[in-house]
Amino acid sequence: MATARQTILVVEDEQAIAETIVYALQTEGFGPVWASTLGAAREALARGGVALVVLDVGLPDGSGFDFCRELRAQHAVPVIFLTARSGEVDRIVGLEIGGDDYLTKPFSPRELTARVRAVLRRGTTATTAPVPPGWTHDAARCRITFEGQALDLTRNEYRLLGVLLARPGQVFSRDQLMQAAWEDPGAALDRTVDAHIKSLRAKLRDAAPEADPIVTHRGLGYSLRETP
Ligand code: CA
């Protein structure tokens, strides 16, 4: 590899798991640094240059969730969670916590390095604009949930909603939405956007009948409510 080794901070208290991860990352050309406690992780982050954090949820001196929130307040560094419980997954992918991806234990070292690469390639876009409460957006799996319900979306609906979710409160014109969400915007019409907004609203109503998260701005376009 021509580029310098990217530093990956591995926060994991189980030595056997940590060693497997460190070895796999080294083999793939990364520069892993192991921290077995949150205290050690803080010190490693303070030294700077960390490209990504692999973060266990259960650690001897605190929770990986709290640590991720703390981290998010100061750094844009991407985080991949390691979790032993699949029930934690929805909290992780919810940007309420700010995880970029997760792996459920046990996982293969190959799977981990593939995720590390994918998240680094994607950059930190998944976490730069926190989604509003009630939403989760798992960009790696093209999955959006609203009020705990997974939405069954068509490709264009997913992309349209993804654009709105990335900037809550911002008003997008129909043209902007089309440019951002359609592969061939020239072939779409303004009313295509309206039709997709309509079908999106119907699906959101199914998920949460009381909520009406998409706002129409007459003559301007649409936005997503910042608060439920
Ligand atoms: Ca642990």
Side-chain angles (χ1 to χ4, degrees):
M1 281 179 98
T3 49
R5 286 175 165 243
Q6 286 179 294
T7 302
I8 311 294
L9 176 60
V10 180
V11 191
E12 168 62 66
D13 58 322
E14 280 173 72
Q15 191 172 350
I17 296 176
E19 279 172 357
T20 307
I21 296 172
V22 163
Y23 179 77
L25 288 170
Q26 264 166 356
T27 308
E28 293 286 317
F30 295 104
V33 173
W34 176 34
S36 61
T37 62
L38 294 181
R42 280 187 197 99
E43 284 169 28
L45 277 167
R47 286 194 290 274
V50 173
L52 182 144
V53 180
V54 175
L55 181 58
D56 185 26
V57 174
L59 290 150
D61 54 347
S63 140
F65 289 155
D66 294 337
F67 184 66
C68 187
R69 282 199 201 90
E70 171 190 325
L71 215 146
R72 280 283 161 264
Q74 319 162 33
H75 303 273
V77 62
V79 174
I80 297 179
F81 274 104
L82 304 178
T83 172
R85 281 171 290 176
S86 55
E88 289 171 337
V89 163
D90 279 347
R91 295 187 60 202
I92 292 168
V93 298
L95 296 180
E96 162 206 356
I97 285 168
D100 294 83
D101 205 350
Y102 65 90
L103 284 162
T104 309
K105 294 176 183 178
F107 52 86
S108 73
R110 184 184 291 271
E111 200 181 350
L112 175 91
T113 53
R115 295 291 177 83
V116 167
R117 273 191 205 297
V119 169
L120 286 173
R121 211 171 26 235
R122 202 166 78 208
T124 55
T125 49
T127 55
T128 45
V131 297
W135 295 91
T136 72
H137 184 186
D138 181 355
R141 287 166 191 76
C142 299
R143 205 176 76 121
I144 295 175
T145 71
F146 182 56
E147 301 298 347
Q149 306 286 315
L151 301 173
D152 183 20
L153 303 173
T154 66
R155 188 175 55 172
N156 282 339
E157 285 167 356
Y158 168 74
R159 292 171 68 158
L160 189 59
L161 189 52
V163 173
L164 293 170
L165 260 179
R167 305 221 179 276
Q170 180 173 325
V171 179
F172 290 91
S173 68
R174 288 172 177 81
D175 193 48
Q176 284 174 318
L177 289 171
M178 219 144 41
Q179 294 296 333
W182 264 254
E183 265 161 26
D184 183 10
L189 300 164
D190 276 9
R191 62 177 177 274
T192 312
V193 171
D194 293 339
H196 280 79
I197 292 281
K198 194 176 169 194
S199 61
L200 262 178
R201 278 183 166 143
K203 289 179 181 182
L204 293 167
R205 244 191 328 270
D206 287 344
E210 301 299 307
D212 185 17
I214 298 176
V215 185
T216 304
H217 301 264
R218 286 200 190 286
L220 295 170
Y222 298 98
S223 72
L224 195 83
R225 262 183 236 288
E226 288 170 276
T227 49

